[in-house]
């Protein structure tokens, strides 16, 4: 009776139930779609801005997983500050450094992220380490300056970071850069980056020990502020561009261990050089007194393993600034010139081995009192070792093997050289027995 008498509730039709389900589920379905649409719109806004301002090409930006595509998506959807696309804030610096990060394998191979892509200002995209002696080493964005009322990067160092790839063209927009240090990254390849041409404030460029190829550009002299240029240990080839002779502000130049061709005289005008490394190339010509006179500030000179000919200039040992001279592995002949009493009192390293030097070693060589390393091996030197070597109280390494010295016993004066730690007399015509002190 109760069942029969109670009021019956209307039954919901199948259409009604479906409608209710849609109303319930709609927000959870639409929310991701709306978010996706919003993200797509943000990326599109970034891409349009970058293309319209000729910052990146549309092809690169729309190519999936390209460095530009990754950087655009990151800055549009993941960069927490959500900087509005503009040429007047730090949007451009963030985008360019993000492209650099992805282009050089930052998300794959870097030894350390260096705080790149963090929500902080780009001037904090760096990390400090300590070397074995406790000295602090800063990598990443090492320094910023205020330019046009905003902080911009002026120093970028990513040495020893396992970078892989080629430097992107977008680097040209970091126009405030004064220092760019990318050395010791064997995975960094490609030709000399054309983007560097647009960095007018650059003072130091270090690309040593990478895997770059091709020829050196003829516009290097446009970098008028450049003081230090290091391109050692790459695979650059061809002629050194003549324009390098116009880079008169250079204080150090390292082109060693490449496949470059030049005549030594083309570097004559670089009168501010303190360090010149041209070793292991195809450099020809002669080292003359007039060249050394032009290089009055030179501290270190390495021309080894080239095709330098002629003889040793008399003024080499009277040059007051030289600390290191390495001329080994060339075609230098003639005698070692006599030294004056006022010889260079600062020269510490002298390597003349594997040449065609003749005659005796001058007794006046003892005037090089600061010398720590002397290598005269594998020449055609004659006579005997001068006992004036014994007054070179700082000498630690002496190599005079493979010459044509007169047959004689072991030079006893060598026993009085207390600082001597390495001695090579091999392949000479020495006779007799070794002293017990040896």
């Amino acid at each position: 009776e109760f069942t029969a008498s109670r009021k019956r509730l209307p039954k919901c039709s199948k259409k009604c139930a479906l409608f209710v389900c849609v109303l319930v589920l709609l927000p959870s379905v639409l929310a991701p779609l709306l978010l996706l649409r919003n993200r797509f719109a943000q990326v599109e806004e970034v891409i349009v801005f970058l293309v319209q301002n000729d910052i990146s090409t549309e092809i690169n930006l729309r190519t999936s997983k390209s460095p530009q595509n990754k950087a655009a998506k990151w800055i549009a959807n993941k960069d927490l500050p959500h900087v509005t696309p503009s040429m007047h804030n730090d949007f451009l610096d963030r985008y360019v450094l993000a492209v650099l990060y992805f282009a050089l394998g930052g998300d794959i191979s870097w030894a350390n992220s260096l705080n790149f892509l963090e929500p902080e200002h780009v001037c904090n995209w760096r990390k400090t380490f300590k070397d074995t002696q406790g000295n602090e080493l800063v990598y990443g964005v090492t320094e910023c300056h205020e330019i046009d009322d905003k902080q911009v990067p002026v120093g970028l160092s990513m040495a020893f970071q396992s970078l892989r790839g080629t430097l992107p063209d977008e680097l040209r927009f970091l126009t405030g850069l004064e220092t760019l240090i990318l050395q010791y990254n064997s995975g960094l390849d490609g030709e000399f980056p054309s983007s560097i041409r647009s960095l007018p404030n650059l003072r130091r460029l270090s690309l040593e020990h990478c895997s770059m190829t091709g020829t050196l550009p003829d516009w290097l002299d446009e970098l008028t502020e450049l003081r230090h240029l290091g391109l050692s240990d790459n695979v650059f080839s061809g002629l050194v561009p003549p324009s390098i002779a116009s880079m008169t502000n250079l204080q150090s130049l390292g082109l060693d261990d490449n496949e470059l061709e030049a005549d030594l005289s083309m570097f004559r005008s670089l009168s501010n050089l303190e360090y010149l490394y041209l070793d292991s190339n195809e450099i020809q010509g002669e080292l003359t007194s007039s060249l050394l006179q032009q290089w009055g500030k030179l501290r270190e000179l390495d021309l080894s393993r080239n095709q330098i000919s002629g003889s040793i200039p008399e003024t080499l040992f009277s040059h007051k600034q030289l600390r290191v001279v390495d001329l080994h592995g060339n075609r230098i002949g003639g005698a070692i010139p006599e030294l004056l009493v006022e010889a260079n009192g600062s020269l510490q390293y002298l390597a003349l081995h594997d040449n065609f030097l003749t005659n005796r070693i001058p007794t006046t060589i003892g005037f090089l009192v600061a010398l720590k390393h002397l290598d005269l091996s594998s020449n055609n030197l004659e006579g005997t070792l001068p006992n004036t070597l014994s007054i070179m109280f700082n000498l630690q390494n002496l190599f005079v093997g493979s010459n044509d010295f007169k047959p004689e016993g072991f030079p006893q004066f060598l026993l009085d050289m207390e600082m001597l730690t390495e001695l090579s007399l091999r392949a000479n015509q020495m006779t007799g027995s070794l002293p017990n002190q040896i």
Side-chain angles (χ1 to χ4, degrees):
E1 290 179 358
F2 173 80
T3 301
S5 63
R6 74 176 184 177
K7 294 181 178 179
R8 297 183 178 273
L9 296 174
K11 292 183 178 180
C12 185
S13 66
K14 291 183 179 180
K15 289 184 179 181
C16 178
L18 181 61
F19 180 72
V20 172
C21 290
V22 168
L23 289 178
V24 173
L25 297 175
L26 189 59
S28 60
V29 173
L30 288 181
L33 293 175
L34 291 173
L35 180 60
L36 186 63
R37 180 181 177 182
N38 186 46
R39 287 186 173 180
F40 178 82
Q42 289 175 325
V43 172
E44 190 64 21
E45 179 187 4
V46 169
I47 289 177
V48 169
F49 174 83
L50 295 171
V51 172
Q52 288 179 345
N53 288 278
D54 294 322
I55 298 168
S56 296
T57 66
E58 187 167 6
I59 292 177
N60 285 339
L61 285 164
R62 296 194 185 280
T63 299
S64 178
K65 297 184 179 180
S66 71
Q68 293 79 8
N69 180 264
K70 288 181 177 179
K73 289 181 176 178
W74 168 78
I75 204 166
N77 296 322
K78 294 183 179 180
D79 191 16
L80 294 184
H82 288 299
V83 182
T84 304
S86 170
M87 300 293 285
H88 305 292
N89 55 22
D90 64 342
F91 167 85
L92 187 56
D93 291 338
R94 299 182 78 80
Y95 170 73
V96 171
L97 288 171
V99 172
L100 190 72
Y101 174 81
F102 290 115
L104 300 182
D107 54 340
I108 300 173
S109 64
W110 281 18
N112 191 288
S113 70
L114 306 180
N115 290 326
F116 270 57
L117 308 192
E118 291 295 319
E120 292 91 354
H121 192 279
V122 293
C123 294
N124 294 318
W125 288 7
R126 61 182 177 180
K127 195 162 185 178
T128 302
F129 302 88
K130 287 190 176 181
D131 62 16
T132 53
Q133 275 120 16
N135 301 311
E136 288 191 348
L137 304 173
V138 182
Y139 292 102
V141 179
T142 57
E143 188 177 4
C144 284
H145 288 169
E146 185 174 323
I147 301 177
D148 296 332
D149 297 323
K150 67 174 183 176
Q151 291 290 319
V152 300
V154 297
L156 186 60
S157 176
M158 295 188 290
F160 302 98
Q161 287 300 308
S162 301
L163 309 183
R164 296 187 179 278
T166 59
L167 286 173
D169 183 62
E170 287 79 3
L171 181 67
R172 60 194 168 97
F173 289 98
L174 296 181
T175 54
L177 276 186
E178 297 177 6
T179 302
L180 180 59
I181 301 175
L182 302 174
Q183 60 192 15
Y184 290 95
N185 286 290
S186 60
L188 188 60
D189 54 23
E191 297 189 348
F192 194 94
S194 60
S195 54
I196 290 176
R197 189 176 189 176
S198 300
L199 306 179
N201 299 305
L202 207 58
R203 296 175 64 88
R204 178 183 292 275
L205 176 61
S206 296
L207 298 174
E208 301 98 325
H209 296 272
C210 295
S211 299
M212 293 189 170
T213 59
T215 58
L216 298 183
D218 58 5
W219 46 258
L220 281 173
D221 60 326
E222 295 178 18
L223 303 175
T224 56
E225 296 298 318
L226 204 61
R227 300 295 189 272
H228 308 277
L229 177 59
L231 305 177
S232 310
D233 288 275
N234 279 282
V235 201
F236 291 121
S237 59
L239 294 173
V240 176
S243 59
I244 207 166
S246 301
M247 304 178 70
T248 54
N249 285 327
L250 279 180
Q251 296 173 6
S252 68
L253 175 61
L255 302 179
D256 47 296
D257 291 280
N258 281 287
E259 300 170 6
L260 296 168
E261 304 171 29
D263 190 275
L264 186 59
S265 61
M266 77 174 299
F267 303 97
R268 174 188 299 273
S269 59
L270 306 183
S271 57
N272 285 306
L273 280 178
E274 297 179 19
Y275 304 92
L276 177 59
Y277 308 111
L278 300 176
D279 44 298
S280 300
N281 280 292
E282 299 293 329
I283 309 297
Q284 300 180 354
E286 297 184 17
L287 178 63
T288 62
S289 293
S290 61
L291 267 179
L292 288 173
Q293 186 177 4
Q294 285 291 109
W295 298 334
K297 299 178 181 180
L298 206 59
R299 294 173 176 269
E300 296 187 10
L301 173 65
D302 193 342
L303 304 177
S304 61
R305 296 187 298 276
N306 277 294
Q307 299 176 32
I308 305 299
S309 55
S311 57
I312 297 174
E314 294 182 0
T315 54
L316 180 65
F317 300 123
S318 59
H319 194 293
K320 297 300 183 183
Q321 302 298 324
L322 279 172
R323 306 290 191 274
V324 174
V325 175
D326 193 342
L327 303 177
H328 87 269
N330 281 290
R331 301 174 180 177
I332 300 172
I336 299 174
E338 293 284 344
L339 283 75
L340 301 175
V341 176
E342 60 269 20
N344 183 336
S346 303
L347 189 63
Q348 299 179 16
Y349 185 102
L350 178 60
L352 302 175
H353 54 289
D354 292 309
N355 277 291
F356 299 92
L357 299 175
T358 58
N359 296 340
R360 293 171 172 266
I361 300 174
T363 57
T364 51
I365 199 167
F367 293 152
L368 298 175
V369 293
L371 209 61
K372 296 180 179 180
H373 179 102
L374 176 61
D375 194 341
L376 302 175
S377 60
S378 300
N379 279 288
N380 300 314
L381 297 170
E382 304 168 355
T384 60
L385 289 181
N387 58 14
T388 51
L389 288 171
S390 63
I391 65 174
M392 301 169 73
F393 301 113
N394 293 297
L395 198 63
Q396 299 174 11
N397 308 310
L398 176 60
F399 306 109
V400 291
S402 298
N403 278 290
D404 297 324
F405 294 126
K406 178 181 176 181
E408 65 170 357
F410 186 88
Q412 294 295 314
F413 67 84
L414 293 176
L415 299 176
D416 299 325
M417 301 178 69
E418 297 180 354
M419 295 295 292
L420 203 61
T421 57
E422 290 190 58
L423 172 66
S424 175
L425 304 171
R426 68 182 184 85
N428 283 304
Q429 303 182 57
M430 292 187 173
T431 60
S433 59
L434 292 174
N436 294 330
Q437 295 93 319
I438 292 293

